[in-house]
Amino acid sequence: MPGAVGSGHSHRPTTKTTHKPFKSRKATKGQLRNAAKGRISGEKGQRKTPHQQVMSKLDRRNQAKQRQLEKAREHQKEASIFAGKDGAPRNVAVIPLCADSDAAAAIRSLNGSVDIEAEVHDGCFRVPVDRFKQKLQYVPLSRDLTACLDAARVADFIVLVLSAEVEVDDLGELILRSVEGQGMSTLFTVVQGLNKIEPAKQRLSVVSSLKSYITHFHPEQEKIYSLDNRQECANLMRSLCSTTPKGVRWRDERSWMLVEDIQWATSGLAPTILTGVVRGRGLKADRLVQVGDWGTFQIEKITAAPLATRKRKGEDTMNVEDGAEEETLELPTEERDTLDDLAPEEAAMGDGDEDMDAATTVTTSRKGVLLDDHHYFSDDDRVEELPMPKKLPKGTSKYQAAWFLADEDVSDSGSDLEDYDMQDAEGEEEARPEDGMEGLAGDAMTEAGPSEYPQSVAFIEPDEDEDARALEAYRKSKRTEAEDDLEFPDEIELHPKVLARERLAKYRGLKSLRTSPWLEDEDRAFEPEEWQRLLRIPDYKASRIRAAREALVGGVAPGTRVHVYVKGVPVAIQKSYNPSRPVTLFSLLRHEQKRTAVNVLINLSSDFPSSIKAKEELIVQYGPRRFVINPLFSQGGTTPNNVHKYCRYLHPGQSAVATFMGPVTWGSVPALFFKRTVPSAGAEMEDEEEGQGPTLPLTLVATGTTLPPSTSRVIAKRAILTGHPYHIHKKIVTIRYMFFNREDVEWFKALPLWTKRGRSGYIKEPLGTHGYFKATFDGRINPQDTIGVSLYKRVWPRNARPLEGPLLDPTLVQAAEADAMDADVE
């Protein structure tokens, strides 16, 4: 009897059997690669550079130690400017974000924690901290946007003051977002009035809520200090005196200074004296300086301005500044920069006249639209030969065409005709889409839409009234302005009584927006007067490096307290000067006062409820300057022909390049875009319904970064004329509603056609006198498809104007808050 099944029997886990591998002394490349499992034989010999060499453990330790020492030396160099009795003070900007926050009370709490009794002034003032052997220079601020931005630009530390009882309102959030957008150094956050919260158990939840709010903007904020707690204030003072500030890159590439004292000019020719401590790079007298929103000025001289010191025991007390003469540290040389922002007119007039005349001749003597760099169908370009009718029977030669004097003997059906232009072009490269946006369709066999007109139909001239009614019904469903731009970008509609060749006289055609050459001679007649006098930078990268390296050598050393004698400050500035607002001085790099075509990458906030139209007035701040601009928007990126499509609108969440004529700024510098919002009563009602109404007369709409300026960057405004397929016979289509007279069809017949579904074609011939024409496409088109033709013209940026007055006038803020309160009462 057989034993039990489970005694020694087991089933195979699978039916697959593995055979013995073939034994061979030779292995294939694949077997060797699989056996190596990623390892490379002779690894040391394969790596070329020293960074790729495999190092031993001792070498790696030595390299890490060298990096550590180098980092320690850099850290010591950055902190050395604050060391010693003559070291520079640490600039601390105290910014209140809430309506009941008090910057002066916050400073008193911080000073009291380390037993400092100092009077708090309106402007910036210096306080020595003997416990930590450092000096702090406080800048107490009110809820003024301009003052907060100016102080944050030159601050080593920024202290944000929150309230335990009042939330951050719209003005506080605007200040917070603006300070963050322009670039900031080390940040600390404090809370005021925490002891007023009762019961005491709720204080932790208040601090937790405030921490959650501030980490939304700055995730690195791990602690919020309470100004009512002496120990926490002392810890914050220790951090302010011992922490090395992060700094701001664009600021540290230049020389800058927080102005402590101003001595106004006593007469028209006398200089204005600005006193402060040099920071950043060395301050040179040859470079121009930007003083707040006052403007750009030249330096007359730079003298030393040490603080008053006391002699040792046994000697009389005296001030160092009591000397008969001040020590001159820097004087301008013959290579000093001038205030000229445009090139001389003599330099620009050398080749301007001939080009202007040529451009005028080109634009007035042609018979057709410009396509890329050639005028097709013009009298000057025609070859001397026998005249040929436009429509010929199949098989007609050029010799036989001489006997066809008119079109009476030729059928109008189109079935027995050929298009000679299309026949000649079949052997050439296939036409691309109008600018790469729509894309080419695939094979013509993939088009699913059947033809509505299997038979050729003779063309009958339509009635004018009936044609007008059909056109109105065709355009009835379209919307306007920004919504139209989203759904129908760049499409325009011509009035039937307007001549397209006159309405679009400045436009030209391009086979490809990205690769087709742009003939710049055609634009000379339309460019701005100062365009040829702008700064032209052939090699931006090399010029930028040269300007940055020049700032590293010479000048008054950072950390030195100096008097800067500035020439030509207007008297009106002294009358409008407000001591509560800090004044900053920035030294410009070489050529930074000259105007050029400035490009700034702009990112429209997705929180902004509406679109921004091109050439709409905005306020931009980049670096130490602010301007009122009317920018052009264009698509970003790089193209082979340096042609970029103009954007009529910038929609929420989108990015574009804003272009205007203004002074150049070397490097990538953060930019802020503000828009003045003064809504009318109707707009306020609409905004209240949507819950997105502006409560302040100024809104931060976008942020960005400066890009390399370029006068050769072409911004091409696109206009799309669309038509409707009227008759379809295989690849031959009769199109209407694109043009409204025969002459316009003749003028634009060289331009390539395209459809929204990817077909491409050319105009075959005009039909009748109402703008109907026949076209040939590369495949069958769908009856619901739309035929378009793209036209382009170059648009020119506008000049930037310096901002006059504050960004946000406090009186306007008070008026807006009063209106909001009245609305709540009603």
Side-chain angles (χ1 to χ4, degrees):
M1 183 175 180
V5 176
S7 59
H9 177 76
S10 63
H11 290 283
R12 292 182 180 178
T14 178
T15 58
K16 296 180 180 179
T17 59
T18 56
H19 301 285
K20 284 186 176 182
F22 178 71
K23 296 180 180 179
S24 173
R25 293 183 301 143
K26 308 288 186 180
T28 62
K29 293 180 180 178
Q31 289 174 336
L32 292 175
R33 185 170 57 251
N34 294 336
K37 296 182 179 179
R39 295 188 297 269
I40 301 175
S41 61
E43 195 172 11
K44 291 185 178 180
Q46 295 293 330
R47 304 191 177 188
K48 305 297 182 183
T49 64
H51 299 285
Q52 294 177 334
Q53 298 295 336
V54 177
M55 295 183 296
S56 64
K57 187 175 182 179
L58 183 62
D59 292 337
R60 291 197 301 271
R61 281 184 176 178
N62 185 38
Q63 191 179 61
K65 184 178 180 180
Q66 295 298 325
R67 288 202 199 98
Q68 186 179 7
L69 292 175
E70 181 64 24
K71 189 173 182 180
R73 281 194 293 268
E74 292 179 0
H75 179 77
Q76 184 179 4
K77 183 179 179 181
E78 293 175 358
S80 63
I81 192 173
F82 305 118
K85 62 178 182 179
D86 296 329
R90 296 167 178 258
N91 298 331
V92 181
V94 184
I95 302 177
L97 296 183
C98 302
D100 63 340
S101 300
D102 188 0
I107 294 175
R108 294 190 194 97
S109 299
L110 293 175
N111 290 340
S113 64
V114 288
D115 300 326
I116 296 176
E117 296 180 1
E119 185 179 355
V120 179
H121 306 286
D122 289 338
C124 61
F125 59 95
R126 184 179 302 201
V127 174
V129 185
D130 296 333
R131 179 183 298 184
F132 304 111
K133 300 181 180 179
Q134 291 291 323
K135 294 177 287 294
L136 298 181
Q137 184 159 308
Y138 290 107
V139 186
L141 300 166
S142 61
R143 284 160 44 92
D144 185 355
L145 179 61
T146 304
C148 293
L149 287 175
D150 290 343
R153 270 196 303 222
V154 294
D156 297 309
F157 301 96
I158 297 175
V159 178
L160 300 179
V161 183
L162 299 176
S163 173
E165 298 177 329
V166 180
E167 294 182 353
V168 179
D169 56 1
D170 293 338
L171 177 58
E173 187 169 335
L174 174 63
I175 294 173
L176 179 59
R177 291 182 181 272
S178 302
V179 169
E180 177 189 11
Q182 75 170 356
M184 60 194 306
S185 188
T186 307
L187 176 69
F188 295 100
T189 308
V190 299
V191 57
Q192 204 170 39
L194 190 61
N195 288 347
K196 297 179 183 179
I197 302 297
E198 295 294 341
K201 292 182 179 180
Q202 293 183 357
R203 296 173 186 175
L204 290 178
S205 62
V206 170
V207 173
S208 178
S209 176
L210 293 177
K211 183 178 178 182
S212 176
Y213 174 80
I214 199 64
T215 52
H216 174 72
F217 299 96
H218 301 280
E220 75 279 0
Q221 292 294 293
E222 298 179 354
K223 182 175 177 56
I224 293 183
Y225 299 88
S226 174
L227 293 178
D228 298 330
N229 190 323
R230 180 182 177 90
Q231 183 61 41
E232 291 189 8
C233 289
N235 292 339
L236 178 57
M237 289 293 289
R238 180 182 291 105
S239 299
L240 292 175
C241 295
S242 60
T243 305
T244 301
K246 294 187 303 184
V248 183
R249 181 174 179 180
W250 70 266
R251 180 185 74 182
D252 295 337
E253 290 179 349
R254 297 161 174 80
S255 179
W256 53 276
M257 184 176 73
L258 174 61
V259 177
E260 303 174 8
D261 186 29
I262 302 175
Q263 298 181 25
W264 297 101
T266 56
S267 62
L269 299 178
T272 299
I273 305 176
L274 306 178
T275 305
V277 179
V278 178
R279 299 290 304 277
R281 305 298 183 190
L283 181 60
K284 297 182 180 179
D286 287 340
R287 302 284 82 84
L288 301 177
V289 291
Q290 175 74 25
V291 183
D293 290 334
W294 299 0
T296 306
F297 306 99
Q298 288 180 323
I299 295 178
E300 184 175 300
K301 64 177 179 178
I302 303 173
T303 61
L307 289 172
T309 58
R310 292 183 176 273
K311 294 285 187 177
R312 294 181 180 178
K313 283 186 177 182
E315 299 182 4
D316 296 335
T317 302
M318 64 173 293
N319 292 337
V320 176
E321 293 182 349
D322 291 343
E325 294 183 0
E326 296 177 346
E327 181 185 359
T328 302
L329 301 178
E330 186 87 8
L331 289 173
T333 62
E334 297 179 355
E335 297 180 356
R336 69 185 305 177
D337 294 337
T338 62
L339 294 173
D340 297 334
D341 58 346
L342 292 174
E345 294 185 4
E346 294 78 8
M349 294 300 292
D351 56 348
D353 297 337
E354 298 178 1
D355 294 340
M356 219 37 139
D357 296 339
T360 306
T361 304
V362 167
T363 54
T364 55
S365 63
R366 299 299 184 182
K367 304 298 182 182
V369 68
L370 177 68
L371 179 59
D372 288 353
D373 54 354
H374 188 70
H375 285 267
Y376 294 90
F377 309 111
S378 295
D379 293 337
D380 299 339
D381 300 329
R382 289 179 180 173
V383 181
E384 292 290 335
E385 59 181 11
L386 295 174
M388 292 177 54
K390 296 175 183 176
K391 299 163 67 176
L392 297 173
K394 288 185 179 180
T396 304
S397 64
K398 293 183 180 180
Y399 176 76
Q400 293 171 333
W403 275 264
F404 287 87
L405 302 180
D407 292 340
E408 290 90 359
D409 299 333
V410 183
S411 172
D412 288 332
S413 64
S415 60
D416 58 342
L417 303 180
E418 287 183 308
D419 191 285
Y420 273 78
D421 294 335
M422 289 297 297
Q423 187 181 21
D424 295 339
E426 285 177 0
E428 299 177 359
E429 185 179 358
E430 195 174 34
R432 302 180 62 182
E434 87 287 3
D435 55 5
M437 296 294 290
E438 284 72 21
L440 282 173
D443 191 3
M445 297 299 294
T446 61
E447 186 68 37
S451 173
E452 280 187 342
Y453 308 96
Q455 301 296 330
S456 178
V457 181
F459 178 73
I460 301 175
E461 190 79 18
D463 182 62
E464 291 188 6
D465 297 336
E466 182 181 353
D467 196 33
R469 286 193 296 269
L471 175 63
E472 184 179 357
Y474 177 68
R475 293 177 173 177
K476 189 176 181 180
S477 60
K478 289 194 176 182
R479 292 170 292 178
T480 56
E481 298 301 329
E483 295 179 353
D484 244 0
D485 186 70
L486 273 174
E487 188 171 355
F488 310 104
D490 303 321
E491 291 188 20
I492 63 172
E493 295 178 349
L494 296 176
H495 193 273
K497 295 184 180 180
V498 174
L499 299 179
R501 60 187 181 278
E502 295 181 1
R503 166 72 172 78
L504 305 173
K506 298 180 182 180
Y507 286 79
R508 68 183 71 180
L510 292 178
K511 293 180 181 178
S512 173
L513 181 63
R514 291 180 53 83
T515 59
S516 294
W518 187 276
L519 190 62
E520 295 188 4
D521 293 340
E522 295 279 336
D523 304 319
R524 292 292 178 88
F526 312 111
E527 65 185 15
E529 296 180 359
E530 63 271 24
W531 186 258
Q532 296 297 329
R533 301 173 59 192
L534 297 179
L535 176 66
R536 302 182 184 276
I537 308 172
D539 189 351
Y540 173 81
K541 186 176 181 180
S543 302
R544 175 186 176 277
I545 293 175
R546 191 181 304 112
R549 287 178 177 174
E550 189 178 17
L552 296 174
V553 182
V556 179
T560 308
R561 192 171 186 270
V562 295
H563 293 308
V564 181
Y565 290 73
V566 178
K567 297 170 55 178
V569 178
V571 180
I573 293 178
Q574 181 178 359
K575 298 179 180 179
S576 61
Y577 171 68
N578 187 355
S580 63
R581 291 178 180 165
V583 179
T584 61
L585 181 145
F586 278 84
S587 177
L588 303 179
L589 301 179
R590 188 181 289 272
H591 307 302
E592 281 195 330
Q593 85 282 4
K594 299 179 181 178
R595 270 193 284 168
T596 185
V598 180
N599 299 314
V600 182
L601 178 66
I602 177 173
N603 303 308
L604 183 59
S605 174
S606 57
D607 299 333
F608 192 64
S610 59
S611 303
I612 297 180
K613 191 175 182 180
K615 301 179 184 178
E616 190 173 352
E617 183 175 282
L618 298 175
I619 299 174
V620 63
Q621 171 188 309
Y622 60 98
R625 295 177 283 204
R626 301 186 183 99
F627 298 99
V628 180
I629 61 172
N630 300 89
L632 300 179
F633 298 141
S634 60
Q635 291 181 347
T638 57
T639 58
N641 58 357
N642 203 15
V643 178
H644 304 265
K645 191 181 81 67
Y646 168 81
C647 302
R648 286 178 169 84
Y649 284 87
L650 184 62
H651 300 287
Q654 290 185 351
S655 299
V657 176
T659 305
F660 55 91
M661 287 191 288
V664 65
T665 296
W666 298 114
S668 297
V669 179
L672 301 177
F673 293 88
F674 299 93
K675 181 181 178 182
R676 298 197 186 278
T677 53
V678 185
S680 60
E684 288 179 357
M685 292 293 293
E686 295 176 1
D687 293 333
E688 286 177 3
E689 294 176 0
E690 298 177 1
Q692 298 176 347
T695 58
L696 293 174
L698 188 75
T699 305
L700 177 65
V701 296
T703 58
T705 308
T706 56
L707 299 175
S710 175
T711 55
S712 60
R713 188 178 189 271
V714 177
I715 303 176
K717 184 177 183 179
R718 184 176 69 178
I720 296 177
L721 299 178
T722 57
H724 178 258
Y726 184 52
H727 286 169
I728 302 175
H729 177 65
K730 296 182 180 179
K731 299 181 180 181
I732 300 176
V733 184
T734 301
I735 301 171
R736 62 177 178 176
Y737 300 156
M738 184 179 291
F739 305 106
F740 299 99
N741 57 77
R742 187 184 185 94
E743 290 75 13
D744 287 345
V745 179
E746 293 285 355
W747 181 268
F748 294 103
K749 66 181 179 181
L751 298 181
L753 302 176
W754 51 270
T755 72
K756 290 189 175 181
R757 302 197 180 193
R759 300 264 70 91
S760 60
Y762 290 92
I763 296 177
K764 185 178 177 67
E765 60 175 344
L767 298 175
T769 59
H770 289 183
Y772 288 57
F773 61 90
K774 282 188 178 181
T776 302
F777 288 87
D778 59 350
R780 291 190 177 188
I781 71 170
N782 194 291
Q784 283 75 38
D785 207 347
T786 302
I787 295 94
V789 63
S790 299
L791 294 163
Y792 302 90
K793 77 168 181 178
R794 185 172 185 179
V795 290
W796 307 91
R798 299 186 179 184
N799 268 319
R801 308 175 299 280
L803 177 66
E804 297 180 358
L807 278 170
L808 187 58
D809 195 346
T811 58
L812 297 178
V813 177
Q814 295 172 3
E817 292 177 350
D819 293 341
M821 292 177 62
D822 294 341
D824 293 340
V825 171
E826 294 177 359

